Amino acid sequence: MKVYKFGGASVKNAAGVRNLAQIVAREKGELVVVVSAMGKTTNALERLVSLSLSGEEELMLRQLSDIRDYHFGIVSELFPTGHTFIENKLEAMLGQILACCKAALVEKPEYDEFYDSVVSFGELMSTRIVSYVLDREGTQNICLDMTKLLVTDDTYREARPEMKKSQHSLKSFMESNPARVYVAQGFIGGTESGRRTTLGREGSDYSAALIANMLDAESVTIWKDVPGILNADPRLINETTLIHELTYFDAVELAYSGAQVIHPKTIRPLENKHIPLYVKPFMNPEAEGSVIKDTTARPIDVPVFIWRKNQVLVTLRAKDFSFVLEDSLNRLFETIYRHRLKVSMIQSSAITVSVCVDKSRYLEAALKELSEDYRVTFNEGLSLLTIRGTTPEIIAQHTEGKTILLSQTTRRTARYVIKE
Ligand code: ASP
Ligand code: MG
């Protein structure tokens, strides 16, 4: 059993879906195809959620109709003579989204739970379309409903999977519904009580890794719009180099530093079962791409640059001028965890602790709570630049003329919090 994952960019239009079908058709063994929402659908659904909660009915209806047009546009290009089966399926889901949003106008539900109930439809729609196209092109398959098969807790927008229960559900469903190819939604799951959940933005890679872990897959392949894992984001650096092999350890470090190419949570479920992860270009399926695995004979020999954007540097100073003692650090990190802040760097001195975190909608509440114990100051609009395997010349080249608010260097890695 192999797992293939296709992100939003790979299924953003009819040509993308056809290309996916061709890649899948080349694989003759057992396969689970994990698919994200089409194109920028998750962003569009996020906006729909905000409009519903702020009571802007007219804009909300227009937004939903744009989402509808986008999906129907792809379907009609795929099936120019019309296909009522898939159209009816989509119409039914859009009807459910509309009902959720209309109810929200009145009931003003809690943001996170409502978000998951609506945003999860992005993947539910894309997988329906993909599964249908595969069938029509001769790859018989079964579409899995991950809201029932990936059992999670109820931490909405960042749900944590219950592996034992999920594995049981998934395996028993597959045993009673045998097929060579399955199609599954990335990013989404559901609680035991039947509420839809999501695993956090860009979480489809994570879903693919979880599925691979539960099914003891032989490998996972993430099909992307880049040739593989590069030593820098090609949108930010002109000349990039493909890294052919990485260890799980390298990959975790890169993902933590902010490399967009894989979601940070993806590695653990794979490392635990020694399942290799391939990253390959969907426009050139024959290309070698990159592989992440236990060990490598080809260590990374180029400097690697990673930018983690949208950073906020929070500085906490003990109010009573006491040292920041261990027990207060404990409380500090408990607060950070409870408010779901994502920490990218930590530095402490005698009476201050600086914590660099991703900007998030939970930050304000966290800072309010922290200001009970600390004098809190913060700087927004920052980037964290990590340079691995570097030389002083390279560092100078990339930091010159920039305001560095915080830096940390080890023998191998230099990290800078930069004001752009
Ligand atoms: N569709 C979700 C997102 O855009 C999950 C994913 O693409 O991985 O965040
Ligand atoms: Mg996406």
Side-chain angles (χ1 to χ4, degrees):
M1 166 75 72
K2 289 182 185 164
V3 176
Y4 278 5
K5 181 262 173 174
F6 291 89
S10 68
V11 289
K12 66 171 192 247
N13 52 28
V17 179
R18 282 196 208 102
N19 184 53
L20 175 154
Q22 277 171 15
I23 292 176
V24 166
R26 291 156 35 111
E27 175 56 47
K28 303 298 175 210
E30 294 182 326
L31 189 64
V32 179
V33 182
V34 177
V35 185
S36 299
M38 296 177 138
K40 301 265 179 250
T41 301
T42 305
N43 293 352
L45 287 165
E46 272 186 354
R47 176 143 192 272
L48 181 70
V49 164
S50 307
L51 291 170
S52 310
L53 290 178
S54 56
E56 307 209 51
E57 185 168 5
E58 213 172 293
L59 289 175
M60 171 195 102
L61 293 173
R62 201 178 313 152
Q63 179 73 4
L64 184 56
S65 125
D66 287 350
I67 293 169
R68 181 185 186 283
D69 291 350
Y70 172 61
H71 285 84
F72 272 79
I74 293 176
V75 168
S76 62
E77 203 183 325
L78 287 164
F79 305 108
T81 52
H83 260 276
T84 42
F85 173 81
I86 190 69
E87 284 159 7
N88 290 345
K89 288 264 183 220
L90 284 181
E91 215 60 272
M93 286 191 258
L94 289 156
Q96 279 176 274
I97 304 176
L98 179 63
C100 282
C101 293
K102 283 214 157 150
L105 288 172
V106 192
E107 293 161 8
K108 300 266 174 253
E110 196 260 325
Y111 181 84
D112 291 346
E113 183 173 355
F114 175 60
Y115 175 105
D116 280 4
S117 69
V118 171
V119 168
S120 48
F121 276 102
E123 273 69 12
L124 290 167
M125 290 193 286
S126 68
T127 45
R128 271 290 154 213
I129 297 172
V130 165
S131 164
Y132 188 66
V133 171
L134 288 178
D135 257 331
R136 306 283 311 175
E137 309 253 315
T139 305
Q140 302 296 307
N141 69 92
I142 292 177
C143 188
L144 302 170
D145 180 351
M146 297 312 282
T147 67
K148 306 222 162 57
L149 301 176
L150 184 67
V151 184
T152 71
D153 71 0
D154 61 359
T155 315
Y156 296 105
R157 296 188 68 214
E158 209 177 324
R160 300 179 191 119
E162 313 242 9
M163 291 303 273
K164 283 255 148 53
K165 286 175 190 160
S166 303
Q167 187 176 36
H168 177 77
S169 314
L170 186 62
K171 281 193 158 175
S172 36
F173 181 89
M174 290 168 92
E175 270 159 32
S176 359
N177 300 275
R180 183 181 65 83
V181 177
Y182 294 91
V183 173
Q185 302 83 34
F187 178 55
I188 71 173
T191 66
E192 274 189 299
S193 60
R195 318 293 300 178
R196 288 186 291 278
T197 56
T198 67
L199 308 179
R201 283 306 306 263
E202 309 302 331
S204 293
D205 293 354
Y206 184 37
S207 297
L210 293 170
I211 293 171
N213 176 297
M214 292 188 284
L215 300 178
D216 291 294
E218 65 176 272
S219 65
V220 173
T221 306
I222 298 183
W223 296 95
K224 295 205 61 107
D225 55 1
V226 286
I229 298 179
L230 302 172
N231 73 322
D233 185 333
R235 288 167 300 187
L236 300 169
I237 280 197
N238 290 335
E239 268 179 43
T240 55
T241 311
L242 181 65
I243 305 172
H244 287 291
E245 291 188 8
L246 294 86
T247 62
Y248 294 117
F249 182 77
D250 293 330
V252 164
E253 253 194 307
L254 301 194
Y256 174 71
S257 304
Q260 298 280 310
V261 68
I262 25 169
H263 190 277
K265 286 185 188 163
T266 309
I267 302 302
R268 185 165 160 213
L270 300 177
E271 191 273 341
N272 287 176
K273 293 241 172 132
H274 312 285
I275 301 169
L277 171 66
Y278 296 91
V279 178
K280 291 191 180 207
F282 57 71
M283 290 320 289
N284 182 12
E286 299 286 347
E288 184 190 348
S290 304
V291 58
I292 300 167
K293 54 198 179 97
D294 275 317
T295 54
T296 160
R298 297 149 86 180
I300 305 176
D301 57 1
V302 285
V304 180
F305 302 87
I306 305 148
W307 282 266
R308 187 158 160 169
K309 299 265 176 190
N310 291 320
Q311 298 296 295
V312 182
L313 182 64
V314 181
T315 303
L316 307 158
R317 193 190 175 104
K319 271 186 180 163
D320 57 3
F321 215 76
S322 65
F323 292 108
V324 180
L325 295 169
E326 281 72 8
D327 62 335
S328 74
L329 279 181
N330 187 4
R331 273 186 55 203
L332 166 62
F333 286 108
E334 190 277 324
T335 309
I336 286 175
Y337 176 74
R338 194 158 24 79
H339 287 279
R340 303 189 193 181
L341 302 186
K342 298 278 175 285
V343 177
S344 52
M345 197 195 239
I346 303 162
Q347 194 149 300
S348 67
S349 72
I351 51 162
T352 67
V353 177
S354 297
V355 189
C356 196
V357 296
D358 292 349
K359 190 173 171 59
S360 99
R361 67 188 311 273
Y362 308 109
L363 186 61
E364 201 184 315
L367 294 186
K368 198 168 160 219
E369 193 178 318
L370 290 169
S371 61
E372 287 165 19
D373 293 333
Y374 303 94
R375 272 222 313 273
V376 179
T377 51
F378 64 95
N379 255 291
E380 289 183 285
L382 310 177
S383 293
L384 173 65
L385 168 63
T386 302
I387 311 178
R388 213 182 102 145
T390 190
T391 62
E393 295 74 45
I394 295 175
I395 292 178
Q397 198 183 329
H398 286 88
T399 53
E400 214 174 70
K402 304 211 164 107
T403 312
I404 296 172
L405 301 188
L406 201 64
S407 66
Q408 270 177 11
T409 51
T410 62
R411 254 184 306 171
R412 203 170 52 165
T413 308
R415 312 179 74 212
Y416 302 97
V417 179
I418 292 174
K419 193 166 186 87
E420 296 282 355

